[in-house]
């Protein structure tokens, strides 16, 4: 049977780099006889698991690819015209093959070392230029997590720029996407921002407001004239943010020319598959005056030691390792890989190509709108129609039967959003279902009024006007790849504690349309494959962490931190203890810990560490006792940020519980726990996981990432909800991300990693990391 079982174990040997000889060489250098001896010396016996994880039998790569292909067939592919921020798009094959599916791009680490990141930094600079051009605003960052969290970051920036104690209101137009409204509600409450909802045209903005936000075109597709609203709002020392459809800005007057302070949105429709919600790169642009409080990172031009032009992260003043609890954002890395895809889409198509795509979509929409006549609710639109019909249910069902998903707004309204994948026959098919047999398809027409038409140029830099053949584009991508260091060249020592092989078998299904082309708000009976994957992954992550429930919604580690803390906050509030607002944080903690706690409205009390970086237990005990009546919890990283398994961790957890608090464990170093111990076994109550560190999702040169949280049963009722897909517990907090399962398509990678390694492989993989880390710590 050993020969027959060998195939099931083959992935383990291929995934774990060091072979037996190399492993023994490392162990001899360290001075131990075996990995088990090393584990005994590094992981306290009191927290070591007594038995292996209860995981399914590992699959071979061949078995897994068959399994995931069959599972994907349970997802039904429709033409998705639902809109709401997610649209069908065509990924140019040259970008798909040479960037998205290329380990020279997706295995790069975050660009902390500019000298080994010049290629991807140039691409991110292209992204910033593209955004600045299309929005007509001078400063753009190198991406954010998603459109909804970008809107929340805009609210925070405007509050910092214009807010005061008596100026804490933020106007939200009713017609922005529901998922964005949910995230704004989540982010506003802890920092005591009052959201005021209404119609922008009749809004009564006064001196009590610090900001306002509108959507362009709005959530129902209407193009509104915001110029007077912006002037009126700004006259009260109040900033305005506009959520803009990036493709529409090829035809519409850009927000910068309308006077907006901030423009933000999603770049998904620039060649990035919907992926059942992500990952996608959000964009954020603003005026020069706000450049030092813009969230995220800005790539800039500099010179090297020899005076040559080079690129670097020029501005990251809100990085949490600098500002810690004073930070107003916990954003670290974001969506670099997807930003690079969107930038290359613009490079490949150029200004003429982008405008042609936008014009074609607008023409289709105009043709159907003209044929439907008075059934159309709005006079001006780009790609979306709100259609009034007495038989909305029947029309909706007929369209779905014909293979089209649309948005059923209510009993008498349907929404249809055309996109780049729309063909003339699709428009004809839809028209026939509405009773229009001979639709006239005219070209180069639109329902955009003269006052909203763009006259300014964009994408004028040579980079957007050169690489329009596949040969030139392929060579440009290769040129940039060769300026970077990725795992296809060598290990990356800077990120060695979090870098893993992103195996080709794990990555391949992400490009499969049965996983990549689904709209996140499609009917539940169309994503049965995702349902099974999500349910299995949640169960596996709970087993690995020793917890009872899981939410996959947070789409970064920092978002996972924030979500976990809000769940703790909701738990205390449910027990009529809202006064529990003190979070203890060791001084050695990663900077996002105090930043996230501050964003949740907690008071931060710093706990001392000794000279080796270990938590001073007496100081912790004294402060837990001092604040026992208001203690909400402790944030602790384990192993610590110094890489040490502190012997006192169980005592630390008990001290917090004895004083009424909950223990939040930062999962940044979960890599060192898997199969050996677990946060739940140790005594923590909630933990976030970095799937892009521990569970093989690639770093992508600075994103994407995923930060799901796992919790014990008492916190499960408070896991986050979503306005379109039922998620979360019985008393959920608001949505933390735009999509119900965050960056859902890359969950495939972690799912594959666990399925092919199994319990033994997971434990061995992380034990090898212990060996490598011990070597790294030794003096040369």
């Amino acid at each position: 049977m050993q020969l027959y079982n060998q195939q099931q174990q083959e992935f383990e040997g291929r995934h774990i780099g060091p072979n037996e000889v190399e492993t023994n060489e490392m162990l001899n250098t360290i001075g131990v006889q075996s990995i088990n001896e090393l584990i005994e010396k590094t992981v306290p016996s009191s927290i070591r698991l007594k038995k292996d994880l209860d995981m399914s039998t590992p699959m071979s790569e061949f078995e897994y690819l068959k399994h995931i292909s069959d599972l994907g067939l349970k997802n039904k592919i429709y033409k998705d015209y639902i809109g709401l921020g997610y649209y069908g798009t065509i990924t140019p094959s040259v970008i798909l093959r040479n960037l998205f599916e290329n380990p020279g791009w997706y295995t790069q680490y975050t660009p902390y070392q500019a000298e080994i990141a010049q290629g991807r930094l140039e691409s991110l600079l292209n992204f910033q230029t593209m955004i600045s051009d299309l929005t007509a605003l001078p400063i753009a960052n190198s991406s954010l997590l998603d459109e909804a969290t970008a809107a929340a970051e805009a609210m925070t920036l405007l509050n910092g720029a214009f807010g005061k104690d008596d100026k804490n209101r933020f106007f939200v137009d009713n017609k922005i996407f529901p998922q964005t409204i949910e995230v704004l509600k989540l982010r506003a409450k802890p920092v005591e921002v009052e959201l005021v909802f209404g119609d922008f045209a009749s809004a009564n903005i006064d001196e009590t407001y610090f900001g306002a936000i509108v959507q362009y075109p709005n959530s129902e597709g209407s193009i509104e004239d915001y110029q007077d609203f912006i002037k009126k709002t700004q006259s009260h020392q109040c900033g305005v943010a506009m959520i803009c459809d990036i493709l529409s800005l090829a035809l519409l007057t850009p927000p910068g020319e309308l006077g907006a302070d901030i423009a933000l949105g999603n770049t998904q429709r620039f060649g990035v598959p919907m992926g059942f919600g992500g990952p996608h790169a959000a964009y954020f642009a603003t005026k020069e005056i706000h450049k030092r409080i813009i969230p995220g990172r800005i790539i800039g031009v500099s010179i090297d030691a020899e005076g040559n032009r080079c690129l670097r992260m020029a501005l990251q003043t809100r990085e949490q390792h600098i500002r810690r609890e004073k930070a107003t954002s916990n954003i670290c890395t974001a969506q670099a890989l997807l930003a690079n895809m969107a930038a290359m889409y613009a490079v490949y198509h150029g200004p003429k190509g982008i405008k042609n795509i936008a014009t074609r979509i607008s023409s289709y929409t105009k043709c159907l709108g003209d044929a439907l006549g008075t059934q159309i609710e709005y006079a001006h639109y780009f790609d979306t129609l709100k259609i009034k019909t007495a038989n909305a249910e029947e029309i909706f069902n007929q369209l779905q039967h014909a293979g089209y998903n649309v948005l059923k707004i209510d009993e008498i309204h349907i929404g249809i959003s055309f996109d780049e994948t729309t063909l003339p026959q699709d428009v004809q098919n839809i028209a026939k279902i509405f009773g229009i047999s001979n639709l006239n398809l005219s070209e180069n027409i639109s329902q955009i009024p003269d006052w909203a038409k763009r006259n300014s140029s964009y994408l004028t830099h040579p980079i957007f006007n050169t690489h329009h053949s596949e040969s030139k584009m392929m060579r440009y991508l290769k040129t940039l790849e060769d300026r970077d260091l990725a795992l296809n060249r060598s290990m990356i020592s800077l990120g060695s504690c979090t870098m893993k092989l992103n195996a080709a078998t794990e990555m391949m299904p992400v490009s499969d349309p049965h996983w990549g082309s689904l709209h996140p708000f499609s009917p539940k009976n169309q994503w049965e494959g995702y349902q099974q994957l999500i349910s299995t992954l949640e169960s596996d992550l709970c087993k690995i962490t020793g917890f009872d429930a899981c939410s996959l919604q947070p789409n970064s580690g920092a978002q996972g931190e924030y979500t976990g803390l809000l769940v703790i906050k909701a738990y205390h509030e449910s027990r009529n203890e809202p006064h529990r607002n003190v979070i203890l944080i060791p001084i050695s903690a990663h900077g996002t810990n105090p930043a996230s706690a501050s964003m949740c409205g907690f008071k931060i009390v710093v706990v001392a560490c000794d000279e080796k970086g270990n938590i001073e237990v007496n100081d912790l005990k004294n402060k837990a006792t001092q604040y026992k009546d208001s203690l909400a919890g402790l944030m602790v990283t384990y192993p610590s940020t110094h890489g040490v398994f502190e012997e006192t961790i169980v005592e630390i957890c008990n001290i917090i519980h004895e004083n009424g608090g909950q223990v939040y464990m930062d999962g940044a170093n979960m890599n060192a726990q898997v199969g050996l111990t677990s946060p739940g076994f140790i005594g923590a109550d909630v933990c976030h996981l970095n799937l892009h560190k521990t569970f093989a999702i690639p770093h992508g040169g600075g994103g994407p990432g995923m930060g799901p949280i796992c919790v014990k049963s008492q916190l499960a009722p408070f896991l986050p909800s979503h306005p379109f897909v039922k998620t979360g517990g019985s008393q959920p907090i608001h949505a933390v991300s735009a999509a119900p399962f965050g960056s859902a398509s890359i969950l495939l990678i972690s799912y594959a990693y666990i399925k092919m390694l199994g319990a033994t492989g997971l434990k061995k993989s992380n034990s090898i990391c212990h060996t490598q880390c011990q070597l790294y710590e030794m003096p040369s």
Side-chain angles (χ1 to χ4, degrees):
M1 292 297 289
Q2 185 175 357
L3 181 63
Y4 297 135
N5 292 334
Q6 185 179 349
Q7 189 177 27
Q8 289 181 326
Q9 306 295 331
E10 67 183 13
F11 179 74
E12 178 185 309
R14 291 171 178 168
H15 173 82
I16 299 172
N19 59 32
E20 186 175 351
V21 173
E22 292 166 331
T23 300
N24 287 333
E25 185 180 349
M26 289 191 292
L27 292 170
N28 289 335
T29 302
I30 295 168
V32 294
Q33 297 299 311
S34 66
I35 287 179
N36 285 339
E37 182 185 347
L38 175 64
I39 297 304
E40 288 173 4
K41 290 186 174 183
T42 55
V43 183
S45 59
S46 61
I47 63 167
R48 285 204 298 271
L49 296 175
K50 304 300 185 273
K51 58 182 180 178
D52 287 340
L53 295 170
D54 180 20
M55 314 298 291
S56 59
T57 303
M59 295 181 180
S60 69
E61 293 181 74
F62 175 77
E63 289 174 316
Y64 176 76
L65 287 173
K66 176 70 166 60
H67 162 75
I68 204 66
S69 176
D70 291 344
L71 193 60
L73 293 176
K74 294 184 179 182
N75 297 322
K76 298 179 176 66
I77 298 180
Y78 282 63
K79 283 267 190 173
D80 282 302
Y81 297 151
I82 297 169
L84 293 173
Y86 301 92
Y87 307 90
T89 186
I90 300 170
T91 308
S93 298
V94 66
I95 295 174
L96 179 69
R97 175 59 61 90
N98 295 285
L99 197 163
F100 188 55
E101 297 178 340
N102 182 353
W105 283 87
Y106 65 71
T107 67
Q108 300 161 353
Y109 191 53
T110 307
Y112 296 127
Q113 290 178 278
E115 65 273 19
I116 58 170
Q118 288 297 293
R120 148 249 326 228
L121 289 175
E122 179 171 323
S123 182
L124 292 174
L125 184 65
N126 293 344
F127 177 84
Q128 293 173 185
T129 305
M130 173 187 81
I131 296 304
S132 190
D133 278 8
L134 287 168
T135 61
L137 285 163
I139 300 290
N141 70 14
S142 57
S143 79
L144 291 177
L145 299 172
D146 61 30
E147 181 170 293
T149 52
E153 292 291 333
M155 176 181 70
T156 301
L157 186 152
L158 293 175
N159 192 16
F162 299 104
K164 300 174 184 176
D165 290 343
D166 58 349
K167 198 176 179 69
N168 69 331
R169 305 175 87 191
F170 188 67
F171 175 80
V172 182
D173 187 68
N174 287 327
K175 291 187 172 63
I176 69 173
F177 292 144
Q179 66 270 25
T180 303
I181 289 175
E182 282 291 292
V183 173
L184 285 171
K185 288 178 179 177
L186 179 91
R187 292 282 291 270
K189 182 181 175 183
V191 292
E192 298 182 342
V193 167
E194 179 186 350
L195 299 182
V196 179
F197 296 90
D199 180 354
F200 83 95
S202 57
N204 184 25
I205 305 295
D206 59 26
E207 304 301 327
T208 64
Y209 288 81
F210 66 81
I213 192 165
V214 294
Q215 189 130 15
Y216 182 62
N218 71 21
S219 61
E220 296 183 344
S222 178
I223 299 169
E224 301 288 344
D225 186 355
Y226 294 120
Q227 224 162 348
D228 289 344
F229 171 75
I230 291 171
K231 289 178 182 176
K232 175 186 171 185
T233 301
Q234 290 173 340
S235 71
H236 295 284
Q237 289 296 298
C238 179
V240 178
M242 293 179 67
I243 308 169
C244 305
D245 182 298
I246 192 67
L247 187 58
S248 76
L249 297 183
L251 304 179
L252 299 181
T253 304
E257 293 178 15
L258 295 175
D261 296 272
I262 297 170
L264 63 103
N266 191 358
T267 60
Q268 177 267 317
R269 64 192 313 176
F270 272 30
V272 182
M274 285 186 285
F276 198 51
H280 311 130
Y283 71 86
F284 194 103
T286 189
K287 294 178 176 178
E288 187 85 21
I289 193 173
H290 300 309
K291 66 184 178 185
R292 291 202 171 273
I293 53 173
I294 190 172
R297 292 166 173 164
I298 295 176
I299 309 306
V301 179
S302 186
I303 56 172
D304 66 16
E306 297 178 353
N308 300 313
R309 178 188 183 274
C310 65
L311 304 171
R312 63 187 178 91
M313 290 195 290
L315 196 66
Q316 48 174 337
T317 54
R318 292 173 74 184
E319 274 291 80
Q320 298 72 37
H321 56 255
I322 299 170
R323 301 187 67 185
R324 299 184 70 81
E325 69 272 13
K326 295 180 181 178
T328 53
S329 171
N330 65 352
I331 294 292
C332 288
T333 50
Q335 303 285 18
L337 182 67
L338 300 314
N340 287 332
M341 287 184 70
M344 291 305 174
Y345 181 93
V347 169
Y348 192 49
H349 286 293
K352 290 181 181 178
I354 297 292
K355 187 172 183 179
N356 285 342
I357 294 166
T359 302
R360 184 167 64 245
I361 294 168
S362 183
S363 297
Y364 286 147
T365 314
K366 164 73 169 168
C367 291
L368 183 59
D370 284 352
L372 290 170
T374 56
Q375 289 180 267
I376 303 303
E377 290 281 285
Y378 296 109
H380 309 302
Y381 45 80
F382 165 59
D383 66 349
T384 298
L385 297 172
K386 183 182 180 184
I387 304 165
K388 186 175 183 179
T389 174
N391 54 342
E393 182 73 25
E394 181 183 346
I395 294 287
F396 178 84
N397 291 333
Q398 287 183 34
L399 286 167
Q400 202 168 95
H401 183 73
Y404 299 102
N405 282 331
V406 298
L407 180 66
K408 185 183 174 188
I409 299 171
D410 54 38
E411 296 307 313
I412 59 170
H413 290 104
I414 281 176
I416 296 178
S417 297
F418 289 134
D419 58 46
E420 186 186 6
T421 69
T422 305
L423 301 173
Q425 191 59 54
D426 295 319
V427 187
Q428 296 280 10
N429 293 342
I430 290 170
K432 286 177 183 177
I433 290 172
F434 279 97
I436 303 163
S437 56
N438 293 305
L439 179 68
N440 179 31
L441 281 176
S442 302
E443 293 186 354
N444 296 311
I445 59 172
S446 75
Q447 199 63 15
I448 299 173
D450 288 341
W451 51 262
K453 288 181 179 177
R454 181 169 193 145
N455 297 310
S456 55
S457 58
Y458 51 87
L459 303 182
T460 57
H461 191 280
I463 207 71
F464 299 107
N465 296 277
T466 303
H467 307 288
H468 296 166
S469 73
E470 180 165 335
S471 296
K472 288 182 178 178
M473 189 67 196
M474 176 177 63
R475 291 165 188 161
Y476 180 56
L477 286 165
K478 182 60 177 173
T479 298
L480 296 191
E481 180 192 343
D482 286 345
R483 295 176 186 165
D484 262 46
L485 184 68
L487 293 184
N488 63 343
R489 292 180 182 273
S490 76
M491 73 166 287
I492 302 171
S493 57
L494 179 66
S496 61
C497 64
T498 66
M499 300 293 282
K500 289 193 172 175
L501 169 70
N502 314 119
T505 299
E506 295 166 352
M507 300 297 296
M508 285 166 62
V510 180
S511 300
D512 183 341
H514 280 91
W515 295 103
S517 67
L518 273 69
H519 194 289
F521 309 149
S522 56
K524 194 171 183 179
N525 64 2
Q526 294 178 16
W527 43 278
E528 291 180 4
Y530 263 114
Q531 289 178 55
Q532 185 173 328
L533 181 144
I534 287 164
S535 175
T536 303
L537 184 58
E538 287 178 341
S539 174
D540 285 346
L541 293 179
C542 284
K543 290 176 183 177
I544 290 167
T545 58
F547 285 128
D548 303 303
C550 177
S551 171
L552 299 172
Q553 197 175 117
N555 57 7
S556 79
Q559 289 294 92
E561 284 183 18
Y562 182 69
T563 306
L565 289 172
L566 284 183
V567 165
I568 289 175
K569 193 180 186 77
Y571 166 75
H572 288 308
E573 289 173 351
S574 75
R575 293 161 55 87
N576 295 318
E577 294 184 311
H579 56 276
R580 290 195 173 275
N581 67 341
V582 170
I583 288 285
L584 303 182
I585 301 178
I587 195 169
S588 62
H590 190 279
T592 55
N593 284 186
S596 296
S598 177
M599 289 168 59
C600 292
F602 285 119
K603 176 184 175 182
I604 296 154
V605 175
V606 177
V607 177
C609 292
D610 63 24
E611 59 185 15
K612 294 183 179 180
N614 298 316
I615 293 173
E616 287 274 14
V617 176
N618 286 336
D619 189 55
L620 175 81
K621 187 180 296 184
N622 290 338
K623 285 171 179 170
T625 304
Q626 178 184 351
Y627 293 102
K628 65 180 181 180
D629 294 331
S630 57
L631 182 64
L634 165 75
M635 296 187 81
V636 60
T637 302
Y638 199 76
S640 71
T641 50
H642 296 77
V644 176
F645 284 91
E646 296 176 57
E647 300 266 359
T648 55
I649 187 63
V650 174
E651 181 185 359
I652 286 169
C653 292
N654 289 338
I655 289 169
I656 299 303
H657 292 145
E658 288 165 4
N659 288 280
Q662 299 284 287
V663 176
Y664 168 89
M665 187 167 284
D666 187 315
N669 295 340
M670 185 67 194
N671 203 31
Q673 290 193 39
V674 176
L676 302 174
T677 183
S678 73
F681 186 70
I682 290 168
D685 301 287
V686 56
C687 174
H688 92 266
L689 301 170
N690 295 88
L691 297 189
H692 51 291
K693 295 181 179 180
T694 307
F695 295 97
I697 289 176
H699 280 261
M706 282 287 281
I709 64 166
C710 297
V711 299
K712 285 191 174 173
S713 57
Q714 76 273 15
L715 300 181
F718 312 103
L719 291 175
S721 64
H722 194 274
F724 286 103
V725 179
K726 179 171 173 33
T727 62
S730 57
Q731 304 173 63
I733 60 174
H734 291 291
V736 296
S737 299
F741 303 104
S743 299
S745 65
I746 57 173
L747 294 174
L748 284 158
I749 302 163
S750 297
Y751 177 84
Y753 173 74
I754 294 170
K755 283 293 177 189
M756 290 191 288
L757 278 180
T760 303
L762 287 169
K763 183 176 181 180
K764 184 176 179 182
S765 173
N766 293 288
S767 297
I768 289 290
C769 289
H770 279 264
T771 311
Q772 293 169 327
C773 287
Q774 288 293 320
L775 277 173
Y776 184 76
E777 293 294 325
M778 292 181 69
S780 58

